Amino acid sequence: MLILAAIQDWFDWFPGAETLTILKWTLVIALIVTGFFGTFLPILPGTSLIYVGMLAHYFLMGMQEESRLTWQSLVGIGIIWLISVAVDCFSGAVGAKYFGSSKYGVWGAIIGGIVGAIFFSLPGLILGPIIGVFAAELWFAKKEWKPAAESTVGTLVGGLAGMIGKMILAMLMILWYVADVFFLNPKG
């Protein structure tokens, strides 16, 4: 109860509804813009921040009637977000496979990415799949250095293609949001 009272006091502090609306929009825009930058900066969870910004808009602005963001659009944007997460997880492994990696190298990319992200943060997120492919190709697939290195290059190419794919999906999310809020559901 003390927390709820503190939140109510905080909202009562604002001189008018306009100030509160400006703060809500500032939060939503900051999340969406930061999320877009996160699609090509690996330190930020790009499309996840975009989707959180849209969820914040939906719930902070008064759900469907007041926010003008329909629940159907929110579900559609959520599906695009899930696709972007899958692209992010598997793009390095797909690139490795395309460049001739064995099944061990593909699994090395996936496991290396997961372990790297969990235990070594940003450097692990970038280096984990690369080291995973190279190590799996050398140790389990018993490949020589050059073919193992080619599979590793595939991981880099796949990661870059995944980044481009995430940027396209992020732009699609933002365009759908803008169309739904500002053009398809005008306030009347």
Side-chain angles (χ1 to χ4, degrees):
M1 288 303 279
L2 185 61
I3 293 174
L4 293 176
I7 292 171
Q8 182 61 41
D9 288 343
W10 187 74
F11 280 112
D12 288 342
W13 173 79
F14 291 107
E18 297 83 22
T19 306
L20 187 57
T21 302
I22 290 170
L23 285 174
K24 290 176 185 177
W25 273 108
T26 302
L27 173 67
V28 168
I29 291 169
L31 284 168
I32 292 172
V33 169
T34 304
F36 183 73
F37 285 118
T39 59
F40 53 88
L41 297 173
I43 196 165
L44 298 170
T47 53
S48 297
L49 284 175
I50 293 171
Y51 193 55
V52 166
M54 293 172 186
L55 286 171
H57 173 92
Y58 185 78
F59 290 108
L60 289 176
M61 302 291 188
M63 309 276 280
Q64 188 164 322
E65 291 298 318
E66 294 298 316
S67 74
R68 296 180 289 177
L69 180 62
T70 63
W71 68 267
Q72 295 92 339
S73 289
L74 208 54
V75 169
I77 293 168
I79 291 169
I80 296 171
W81 169 71
L82 288 173
I83 293 168
S84 77
V85 170
V87 165
D88 197 24
C89 288
F90 297 111
S91 60
V94 170
K97 185 66 178 169
Y98 184 77
F99 273 69
S101 180
S102 67
K103 64 180 177 181
Y104 299 112
V106 172
W107 280 106
I110 293 169
I111 294 169
I114 292 169
V115 169
I118 291 172
F119 294 109
F120 302 106
S121 188
L122 177 61
L125 183 64
I126 296 169
L127 296 175
I130 296 168
I131 294 169
V133 168
F134 191 71
E137 290 293 329
L138 285 177
W139 294 334
F140 297 112
K142 307 291 187 213
K143 287 189 178 180
E144 296 293 324
W145 282 83
K146 187 173 181 185
E150 288 173 359
S151 297
T152 305
V153 168
T155 304
L156 293 171
V157 171
L160 182 61
M163 183 187 312
I164 292 168
K166 281 190 332 182
M167 287 176 62
I168 291 169
L169 290 170
M171 287 189 280
L172 183 60
M173 291 170 70
I174 293 168
L175 286 173
W176 190 339
Y177 167 80
V178 168
D180 197 48
V181 171
F182 296 107
F183 298 109
L184 299 177
N185 298 308
K187 200 165 192 155

